[in-house]
Amino acid sequence: MLWRFRREVIFFLMLLSSYFVEKNSLKRNFSDSDTKPVKENLINYEEIIQENKRLRELLELKEKKLIPNFKVAEVIAVKPHIFPAEIFINKGKKDGILENNIVFTKDIFLIGRVEEVNDSYSKVISIFNKKTKISVIISSTREVGIIEGGYAPFLLMKYIPYDSKVKIGDEVYTSGFSEYYHSGLKIGKIVKISRDKNSLFLNILVKPYIYSYSFKEVIIAK
Amino acid sequence: MPNKKLFVILEQVLIISIFQYIFYNFFHFKIIPSFYLTYLLILSFDGNVEISLFLSFVLGLIHDIFTKEILGFTSIRYLVIVYFSSFFMVKSIKSRCGLIFLFSFLYFVMLSFLKINESFWDGKTILKYSILFSFYNFLIGIAIEIIVREIKKKWREKIF
């Protein structure tokens, strides 16, 4: 009897195992991070050199006082792995991370904000996430619009009047009118401008600077 | 010899893993074809359903390690796809590639439904990337089919 349903039995057993592995992976990921440097040291020197280089750049950022108070976190998981909408970092409550802290790259390109804080790790929602809505300003025309996620690999900018002089290649920054994001954070460049029939507004696609960013370390600031 | 089959599968998995590793590390495309998924589908079409289901779990974990995704997430998707594909036993390369395209499409679409929150991308984006991903898998499906057959042939000729 059991042999007849072996396919179903194996399927459910494996599915159950996958579910438990997934459930525990974040916690395991974090507990492994203490021993990780030793393991990596034995295995991959190139990776250590690259990491060192990235951390040096972050240190420069602190020395130049471009951002007065920030924390650096390591990315432990991304979801999905292309244009990630959720990023998990190895810093949490006990490291002083708070909900709605802003997350960006070492070049001060906006990644997103902290949505959920646990003791030892946090969840960040990126600008690619459908939930993201940010008030932004266009560098050339100083017009204010709203940027929305959910259109990966681009972001959709709304509420720019159809007679605007905006052009392809213009930069987009945060305006400071959002609840969570302060002004002047670089988001991306405009790549496409179109208009729906009878609409008073333009549909603008913005290519974010984090388009090809490899998520390894991120900066978190208030 | 029962051991022969094990060796064949081990060699196939090793070669497929090398290809997958090369693609993940040296090709910076946004959409990377899944050698693992294609191989698992071919294995399942061959009638090796139990092995294919077990490998779905193992290769899913390896995939998550490559891509830094949460461990186990890909295994679930592989398992669901392989389970449903196991109801199709097809022999011709044409039909196999067609099914690889279809199941790759479903696999990618599933990505947006298995998330904790609502879908990350809009329908148009999901459709665009699903088709691209399925097309890539369709192409590598032909290559994997040839590799798999060659390995089988090689082992068949070997005398223990």
Side-chain angles (χ1 to χ4, degrees):
Chain A
M1 179 74 177
L2 199 67
W3 181 248
R4 215 176 135 195
F5 293 103
R6 63 191 185 280
R7 173 170 54 188
E8 282 69 23
V9 172
I10 297 171
F11 172 65
F12 282 111
L13 279 177
M14 291 294 124
L15 203 64
L16 215 64
S17 315
S18 305
Y19 174 74
F20 284 115
V21 170
E22 190 188 10
K23 219 177 166 189
N24 295 318
S25 82
L26 267 176
K27 282 179 191 170
R28 210 182 315 124
N29 238 340
F30 181 73
S31 60
D32 279 357
S33 68
D34 293 341
T35 54
K36 219 174 167 185
V38 182
K39 284 181 194 166
E40 278 181 359
N41 198 13
L42 294 170
I43 299 162
N44 196 345
Y45 285 106
E46 185 56 34
E47 182 57 30
I48 301 282
I49 294 164
Q50 291 299 326
E51 191 180 359
N52 202 331
K53 201 178 150 195
R54 289 196 303 272
L55 292 174
R56 244 173 227 281
E57 284 167 353
L58 292 171
L59 192 69
E60 264 172 45
L61 204 70
K62 200 161 202 169
E63 281 166 358
K64 285 178 190 166
K65 291 187 177 167
L66 288 171
I67 308 158
N69 198 3
F70 69 85
K71 288 181 176 73
V72 179
E74 194 187 324
V75 174
I76 51 174
V78 292
K79 219 176 175 185
H81 67 273
I82 44 165
F83 316 121
E86 286 178 356
I87 298 159
F88 293 87
I89 53 170
N90 70 341
K91 294 267 159 76
K93 250 179 224 165
K94 63 180 182 187
D95 306 291
I97 305 293
L98 299 170
E99 268 181 30
N100 300 322
N101 278 177
I102 306 164
V103 182
F104 40 91
T105 68
K106 60 177 168 36
D107 306 302
I108 325 181
F109 298 149
L110 184 66
I111 293 177
R113 67 178 170 87
V114 177
E115 191 193 42
E116 224 178 273
V117 189
N118 291 289
D119 280 345
S120 50
Y121 69 92
S122 307
K123 187 174 98 179
V124 174
I125 58 161
S126 85
I127 50 176
F128 290 121
N129 198 302
K130 224 174 179 177
K131 286 184 197 167
T132 299
K133 283 184 178 61
I134 311 167
S135 170
V136 291
I137 195 162
I138 299 171
S139 58
S140 62
T141 61
R142 312 302 295 167
E143 284 163 317
V144 175
I146 303 281
I147 250 182
E148 283 184 13
Y151 299 88
F154 304 114
L155 305 168
L156 181 68
M157 188 172 180
K158 288 180 170 177
Y159 309 119
I160 299 297
Y162 71 92
D163 56 350
S164 165
K165 290 198 169 56
V166 62
K167 55 187 184 307
I168 288 168
D170 282 353
E171 278 197 305
V172 175
Y173 300 97
T174 51
S175 68
F177 301 141
S178 294
E179 199 179 339
Y180 310 116
Y181 304 95
H182 52 70
S183 62
L185 293 168
K186 290 178 193 174
I187 293 183
K189 274 186 180 173
I190 292 170
V191 287
K192 194 180 171 190
I193 303 166
S194 58
R195 186 190 166 198
D196 292 334
K197 246 185 186 179
N198 305 325
S199 172
L200 292 173
F201 302 108
L202 296 170
N203 285 328
I204 299 174
L205 284 182
V206 175
K207 184 179 177 182
Y209 288 122
I210 60 162
Y211 181 86
S212 48
Y213 184 70
S214 61
F215 293 87
K216 299 226 168 162
E217 285 98 20
V218 294
I219 296 170
I220 305 137
K222 278 178 192 172
Chain B
M1 240 194 197
N3 277 347
K4 219 172 183 180
K5 197 173 179 180
L6 183 76
F7 283 121
V8 172
I9 286 170
L10 277 175
E11 190 178 340
Q12 287 169 352
V13 168
L14 188 74
I15 290 170
I16 300 298
S17 296
I18 292 168
F19 276 115
Q20 188 76 80
Y21 182 80
I22 291 169
F23 266 75
Y24 272 122
N25 286 281
F26 302 105
F27 292 87
H28 298 285
F29 303 141
K30 280 290 165 197
I31 297 287
I32 291 169
S34 178
F35 284 77
Y36 282 156
L37 178 70
T38 314
Y39 172 64
L40 289 169
L41 287 172
I42 289 172
L43 208 61
S44 152
F45 296 149
D46 276 340
N48 300 311
V49 180
E50 294 83 12
I51 301 168
S52 183
L53 284 169
F54 174 72
L55 281 177
S56 300
F57 173 69
V58 179
L59 297 181
L61 294 182
I62 298 173
H63 174 277
D64 288 336
I65 295 166
F66 280 158
T67 58
K68 251 188 164 185
E69 271 200 53
I70 294 165
L71 279 184
F73 183 65
T74 307
S75 298
I76 294 174
R77 284 191 290 156
Y78 279 171
L79 277 164
V80 173
I81 290 295
V82 168
Y83 176 73
F84 286 109
S85 73
S86 68
F87 292 98
F88 298 86
M89 295 273 188
V90 279
K91 290 282 168 217
S92 78
I93 292 190
K94 249 187 207 171
S95 341
R96 281 182 177 210
C97 288
L99 283 172
I100 287 170
F101 186 92
L102 177 76
F103 282 111
S104 301
F105 184 85
L106 292 174
Y107 168 86
F108 202 91
V109 169
M110 212 160 67
L111 180 82
S112 52
F113 293 108
L114 268 180
K115 301 296 170 191
I116 306 159
N117 303 313
E118 75 264 45
S119 173
F120 294 145
W121 301 341
D122 68 330
K124 213 173 136 189
T125 314
I126 294 170
L127 186 74
K128 194 173 96 183
Y129 284 109
S130 307
I131 291 172
L132 193 65
F133 177 76
S134 312
F135 181 66
Y136 283 165
N137 279 3
F138 168 83
L139 292 180
I140 62 158
I142 300 166
I144 291 178
E145 189 75 47
I146 295 164
I147 294 169
V148 164
R149 281 182 189 195
E150 280 301 310
I151 293 171
K152 264 190 208 164
K153 206 173 123 189
K154 193 186 86 183
W155 278 95
R156 216 178 292 139
E157 285 161 6
K158 273 190 185 175
I159 305 160
F160 274 83

